DNA sequence: ACTTCGCGTAAGTTGAGACTTACGCTTTTA
DNA sequence: TAAAAGCGTAAGTCTCAACTTACGCGAAGT
């Protein structure tokens, strides 16, 4: 997951992912779409593969690549969870503040305890 | 958006975002939660701020930081859109393939045209 | 006014990463 | 079996980014 996040942070790798989302393509065809050398793309493909973001299929001398929908879905869920968990915490914090208002107003020590 | 993606790719910055999601905290309190120096955290806060991921409020000598829900929401939507657009393309590609099956089986030139 | 507090910033170091060219490996073809 | 096709990998360069220590700056206390 960590590897996937760093992988999609790179614009070129996102472009590759979009290129091979709905169809598998051999490495050479992928490289021909960009203005960098073929080894550069090969190294990007390695990063994507180690992050489980693409599949590799070898056929003869060619290697076909294709985006893995399951890992992309997991990435999407990760963002949603980060969002949802935070909403939970926001809600909890609001309730906590409310309860605190009903108690006697806080001593100076209260602020220290809220932090950390 | 590019800046935000690279910002959340760093684990330490994600930890900071979680820390100040539901409550604002002064820079020093944030730094005390980590085992790196205060300037290091200050630089992380700068990156987050330039990506519009956090707000800064100055009060006296302190600077309070807090995660911006709107930018986080935009980030979440970005992932969803990347996913949805790709689903659209997948659907379209499937229809295209289906239509192609109904035509005469492809000549060798067809494969060339499918690529690029 | 002088000191202390709570910061950010400057400058330097180190490691990672996005590239390049050169090379080697495996599979097909002549 | 020799050559060519289609790749990945090694090695080197260069930029960037995550840290460190040293310093500076404005606001608050004394």
């Amino acid at each position: 997951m960590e590897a996937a996040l760093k992988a999609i942070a790179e614009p070129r790798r996102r472009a590759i992912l979009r290129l091979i989302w709905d169809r598998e393509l051999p490495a050479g065809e992928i490289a021909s779409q960009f203005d960098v050398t073929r080894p550069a793309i090969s190294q990007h493909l390695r990063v994507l593969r180690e992050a489980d973001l693409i599949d590799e299929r070898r056929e003869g001398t060619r290697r076909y690549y294709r985006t893995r929908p399951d890992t992309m879905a997991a990435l999407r869920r990760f963002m949603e969870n980060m969002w949802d968990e935070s909403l939970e915490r926001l809600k909890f914090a609001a309730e906590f503040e409310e309860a605190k208002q009903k108690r006697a107003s806080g001593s100076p020590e209260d602020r220290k305890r809220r932090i950390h």
XYZ file of all heavy atoms in Angstrom, chain C residues 5-11 18:
165
model
P 12.404 30.051 28.271
O 12.024 29.301 29.484
O 13.599 29.640 27.487
O 11.141 30.084 27.301
C 10.084 30.995 27.576
C 9.170 31.108 26.368
O 9.687 32.099 25.449
C 9.037 29.804 25.573
O 7.665 29.620 25.279
C 9.865 30.057 24.321
C 9.692 31.563 24.141
N 10.799 32.241 23.388
C 10.487 33.200 22.421
O 9.304 33.479 22.197
N 11.505 33.818 21.771
C 12.773 33.516 22.050
N 13.729 34.148 21.369
C 13.107 32.539 23.027
C 12.091 31.925 23.680
P 7.145 28.148 24.795
O 5.784 27.934 25.343
O 8.229 27.177 25.050
O 7.017 28.354 23.223
C 6.051 29.258 22.725
C 6.209 29.385 21.223
O 7.408 30.148 20.941
C 6.376 28.045 20.478
O 5.538 28.015 19.348
C 7.845 28.036 20.100
C 8.085 29.519 19.886
N 9.500 29.903 19.936
C 10.475 29.346 20.721
N 11.655 29.892 20.549
C 11.442 30.875 19.593
C 12.356 31.788 19.007
O 13.559 31.926 19.213
N 11.710 32.616 18.081
C 10.372 32.557 17.763
N 9.932 33.432 16.858
N 9.519 31.702 18.309
C 10.116 30.899 19.209
P 5.059 26.588 18.769
O 3.611 26.527 18.959
O 5.916 25.516 19.315
O 5.324 26.702 17.213
C 6.645 26.699 16.739
C 6.914 27.981 15.989
O 7.823 28.787 16.738
C 7.576 27.746 14.643
O 6.555 27.660 13.654
C 8.442 28.960 14.450
C 8.723 29.439 15.872
N 10.113 29.142 16.334
C 11.172 29.940 15.916
O 10.942 30.878 15.135
N 12.426 29.677 16.359
C 12.632 28.651 17.199
N 13.871 28.426 17.621
C 11.550 27.816 17.642
C 10.327 28.087 17.188
P 6.791 26.867 12.310
O 5.498 26.720 11.638
O 7.564 25.668 12.707
O 7.742 27.815 11.437
C 7.247 29.082 11.000
C 8.357 29.882 10.335
O 9.475 30.002 11.246
C 8.915 29.257 9.052
O 9.074 30.274 8.063
C 10.237 28.654 9.487
C 10.674 29.552 10.632
N 11.455 28.833 11.644
C 11.026 27.781 12.412
N 11.937 27.339 13.229
C 13.048 28.142 12.992
C 14.340 28.127 13.587
O 14.774 27.375 14.460
N 15.166 29.119 13.045
C 14.786 30.009 12.068
N 15.717 30.877 11.676
N 13.584 30.029 11.508
C 12.760 29.076 12.013
P 9.640 29.927 6.602
O 9.155 30.957 5.673
O 9.349 28.501 6.361
O 11.228 30.092 6.752
C 11.745 31.353 7.162
C 13.256 31.356 7.027
O 13.862 30.628 8.134
C 13.801 30.695 5.756
O 14.882 31.473 5.284
C 14.254 29.329 6.241
C 14.781 29.683 7.620
N 14.854 28.568 8.588
C 16.009 28.386 9.307
O 16.984 29.087 9.196
N 15.975 27.320 10.186
C 14.923 26.438 10.398
O 15.013 25.524 11.201
C 13.745 26.697 9.603
C 12.561 25.809 9.753
C 13.768 27.730 8.750
P 15.477 31.210 3.816
O 15.177 32.401 2.991
O 15.036 29.869 3.368
O 17.048 31.128 4.075
C 17.562 31.443 5.371
C 19.054 31.150 5.449
O 19.274 30.133 6.464
C 19.705 30.594 4.196
O 21.078 30.946 4.214
C 19.482 29.099 4.343
C 19.651 28.904 5.844
N 18.809 27.855 6.419
C 17.494 27.591 6.147
N 16.998 26.586 6.830
C 18.052 26.159 7.620
C 18.176 25.131 8.576
N 17.168 24.311 8.905
N 19.374 24.975 9.179
C 20.377 25.801 8.852
N 20.385 26.809 7.965
C 19.176 26.932 7.382
P 22.035 30.622 2.979
O 23.001 31.745 2.865
O 21.181 30.255 1.827
O 22.827 29.321 3.474
C 23.442 29.320 4.765
C 24.111 27.984 5.013
O 23.161 27.048 5.591
C 24.654 27.295 3.758
O 25.874 26.651 4.080
C 23.571 26.274 3.431
C 23.151 25.858 4.826
N 21.824 25.278 4.931
C 20.716 25.586 4.186
N 19.640 24.894 4.509
C 20.073 24.079 5.547
C 19.417 23.122 6.326
N 18.130 22.814 6.183
N 20.141 22.489 7.274
C 21.434 22.801 7.428
N 22.162 23.698 6.743
C 21.408 24.306 5.822
P 10.827 8.293 -9.225
O 9.965 9.105 -8.357
O 10.529 6.863 -9.437
O 10.926 9.012 -10.641
C 11.291 10.374 -10.713
C 12.293 10.600 -11.821
O 13.612 10.242 -11.376
C 12.046 9.798 -13.101
O 11.970 10.690 -14.201
C 13.247 8.873 -13.201
C 14.310 9.664 -12.459
N 15.400 8.847 -11.916
C 15.297 7.664 -11.227
N 16.453 7.159 -10.860
C 17.377 8.065 -11.336
C 18.786 8.098 -11.266
N 19.521 7.158 -10.675
N 19.411 9.164 -11.842
C 18.664 10.098 -12.434
N 17.345 10.169 -12.562
C 16.747 9.116 -11.982
